[in-house]
Amino acid sequence: MGAGEEARIVRQWAAIYDAVYESAEDTAGADFGGWRSSITGENYSETETAEWLGGTVDAILGLKPETVLEIGAGTGLVAERLLPHVRRYVGTDISATAVARMERDYGHHPGTEFRCADADAGDLPGGIDVVVLNSVIHHFPGEEYLRRALARAVRACAPGGTVFLGDVHSLPLRDTLRLCVLAARSRGELTAGQVRDGLSDQAARERELVIDPAFFPAFAAEHGLVADVRLKPGACDTEMNLFRYDVRLRPDDGTLVAPGATRVPWDSRDAARLVADASATGLPVTVTGILHPDLAPPVGVLSALRGSDPATRVDVPALLADARAARPEGIRPAELSTRAAEHGLVCFCLPAGSESAAYDAVLASPAEASGTVAEAAVAVDRPLINIPRP
């Protein structure tokens, strides 16, 4: 994709968000305009958005920044929560309306600066403790733009600094998400072949950048960093928690755990037993193949549909409802993290590198571990980033 086409797409997204933010121009503070589930088409609830925002801010503050650069800051959802805790905050966005809103609402805070710029801007400030790109890189035009923007973000970091990427859309689980969208909007029976064709059609019309977690360890290594890749921390059964993940591009400072160190396969133990056993047998430990009970139903239905005769008639919403009603065994990542905290441990849940309802979890002592080092993937015969439709 050429520079002209990239610029056109960026301008297109800027116009979209100018319109979104202008429609709520009199709103002060948290503005979740445009935050809708792609599955249902409905706005997220206050509980869901509060959980998402709280988890994101906690993750950033957990990196203990004094200075923050947020690229794609919107109208300041994250900024509002960060400002009391940092001495310098720089926020950029492609929407002039968003930047004006940030200036209006937060410009009185000392140490703040707001700029209208895209993520590939060449004049980013330097010496930053944490550079944030939260829920924004799925709007990037393509892989080359992503690589340039991330490289600029890395260069903006002070020694020891971190690039935090929030809400990265999962490529391995994208067809599972598309199946959920189809189920929520379909009327009546389809054939298995029609379902598969519908998913292929959605993929061909995909306008967002969707990324395999395996992309980030390789990119980090190219820049002398490591990738700390984690599932979203929330408990709500939302698209954000099920089909997205977070990434920290950071130096290996000796407090990061290699997931391959001690591996124990999950054997259907519940969260309490799993954490107690891990604590008793020595830390850190990686528990592999834990079933996510909210992902298992759509992943299983998708697998069955792919193996069905194309002429077989299916009711996708009913299939999903039946699969969910079966209450598959498993542990939600948020539940496991809560149980770990009750034992004085930290839990890092890692997204699967394939189309799977399973995840791995690293349990460790908080005194010894601040995250994990994502392992570089072996050679794969699949793309790690899609090509969005212009």
Side-chain angles (χ1 to χ4, degrees), residues 203-289:
R205 292 185 289 109
E206 180 67 74
R207 300 187 68 180
E208 296 182 333
L209 194 66
V210 191
I211 307 170
D212 193 305
F215 167 81
F216 292 101
F219 176 87
E222 293 169 4
H223 295 269
L225 302 172
V226 295
D228 178 357
V229 184
R230 308 184 197 176
L231 293 178
K232 302 290 291 181
C236 294
D237 181 11
T238 62
E239 173 189 346
M240 294 181 288
N241 288 332
L242 296 180
F243 299 104
R244 304 182 191 178
Y245 57 94
D246 294 339
V247 181
R248 297 152 178 81
L249 302 175
R250 54 193 299 196
D252 189 350
D253 61 1
T255 68
L256 299 175
V257 180
T262 301
R263 301 175 73 87
V264 177
W266 181 61
D267 56 4
S268 297
R269 283 173 289 177
D270 64 17
R273 179 67 182 276
L274 190 65
V275 172
D277 289 350
S279 180
T281 56
L283 297 167
V285 61
T286 300
V287 184
T288 62

Side-chain angles (χ1 to χ4, degrees), residues 3-20:
E5 183 65 7
E6 288 181 344
R8 184 191 67 80
I9 293 172
V10 170
R11 287 195 303 270
Q12 187 176 61
W13 281 115
I16 289 170
Y17 277 96
D18 275 339
V20 168

Side-chain angles (χ1 to χ4, degrees), residues 51-60 63 132-137 162-170 211-214 216-217 226-234 240-250 348-351 372 374:
E51 178 190 71
W52 171 87
L53 181 56
T56 299
V57 171
D58 287 347
I60 296 167
L63 297 167
V132 176
L133 295 96
N134 184 57
S135 201
V136 67
I137 65 175
T162 298
V163 177
F164 176 85
L165 310 171
D167 275 5
V168 183
H169 293 218
S170 171
I211 307 170
D212 193 305
F216 292 101
V226 295
D228 178 357
V229 184
R230 308 184 197 176
L231 293 178
K232 302 290 291 181
M240 294 181 288
N241 288 332
L242 296 180
F243 299 104
R244 304 182 191 178
Y245 57 94
D246 294 339
V247 181
R248 297 152 178 81
L249 302 175
R250 54 193 299 196
F348 310 111
C349 297
L350 317 179
T372 64

Side-chain angles (χ1 to χ4, degrees), residues 79-389:
E80 181 182 22
R81 302 288 191 92
L82 294 182
L83 287 176
H85 304 281
V86 301
R87 61 176 175 81
R88 184 188 183 199
Y89 172 91
V90 181
T92 75
D93 201 89
I94 57 174
S95 166
T97 302
V99 173
R101 284 271 300 277
M102 285 192 289
E103 286 275 13
R104 181 194 73 186
D105 294 341
Y106 310 116
H108 62 280
H109 284 268
T112 57
E113 179 184 345
F114 305 101
R115 305 180 184 182
C116 188
D118 69 77
D120 195 25
D123 59 346
L124 296 177
I128 301 295
D129 295 329
V130 177
V131 179
V132 176
L133 295 96
N134 184 57
S135 201
V136 67
I137 65 175
H138 56 284
H139 292 323
F140 287 0
E143 180 175 351
E144 291 308 311
Y145 185 99
L146 172 69
R147 286 183 174 276
R148 293 198 309 271
L150 293 184
R152 291 186 189 280
V154 169
R155 289 197 294 272
C157 286
T162 298
V163 177
F164 176 85
L165 310 171
D167 275 5
V168 183
H169 293 218
S170 171
L171 184 59
L173 290 174
R174 198 60 167 190
D175 269 351
T176 306
L177 172 59
R178 291 173 182 137
L179 181 73
C180 293
V181 172
L182 186 151
R185 303 182 184 187
S186 67
R187 298 292 182 269
E189 288 188 346
L190 300 169
T191 66
Q194 287 173 322
V195 172
R196 295 200 290 265
D197 289 344
L199 297 181
S200 296
D201 183 58
Q202 287 186 53
R205 292 185 289 109
E206 180 67 74
R207 300 187 68 180
E208 296 182 333
L209 194 66
V210 191
I211 307 170
D212 193 305
F215 167 81
F216 292 101
F219 176 87
E222 293 169 4
H223 295 269
L225 302 172
V226 295
D228 178 357
V229 184
R230 308 184 197 176
L231 293 178
K232 302 290 291 181
C236 294
D237 181 11
T238 62
E239 173 189 346
M240 294 181 288
N241 288 332
L242 296 180
F243 299 104
R244 304 182 191 178
Y245 57 94
D246 294 339
V247 181
R248 297 152 178 81
L249 302 175
R250 54 193 299 196
D252 189 350
D253 61 1
T255 68
L256 299 175
V257 180
T262 301
R263 301 175 73 87
V264 177
W266 181 61
D267 56 4
S268 297
R269 283 173 289 177
D270 64 17
R273 179 67 182 276
L274 190 65
V275 172
D277 289 350
S279 180
T281 56
L283 297 167
V285 61
T286 300
V287 184
T288 62
I290 304 170
L291 189 68
H292 194 313
D294 297 323
L295 275 176
V299 169
V301 169
L302 178 60
S303 177
L305 288 171
R306 283 181 169 153
S308 299
D309 185 286
T312 302
R313 299 198 65 79
V314 294
D315 184 335
V316 178
L319 288 175
L320 268 179
D322 289 346
R324 287 169 175 146
R327 298 179 181 271
E329 290 186 353
I331 306 173
R332 292 178 175 86
E335 179 189 359
L336 188 57
S337 295
T338 298
R339 290 291 187 179
E342 291 171 354
H343 282 73
L345 305 178
V346 289
C347 176
F348 310 111
C349 297
L350 317 179
S354 60
E355 189 178 74
S356 170
Y359 65 96
D360 296 348
V362 176
L363 297 164
S365 162
E368 299 173 343
S370 66
T372 64
V373 176
E375 298 172 311
V378 296
V380 294
D381 58 357
R382 66 181 190 275
L384 297 182
I385 300 181
N386 72 325
I387 301 175
R389 197 188 80 173

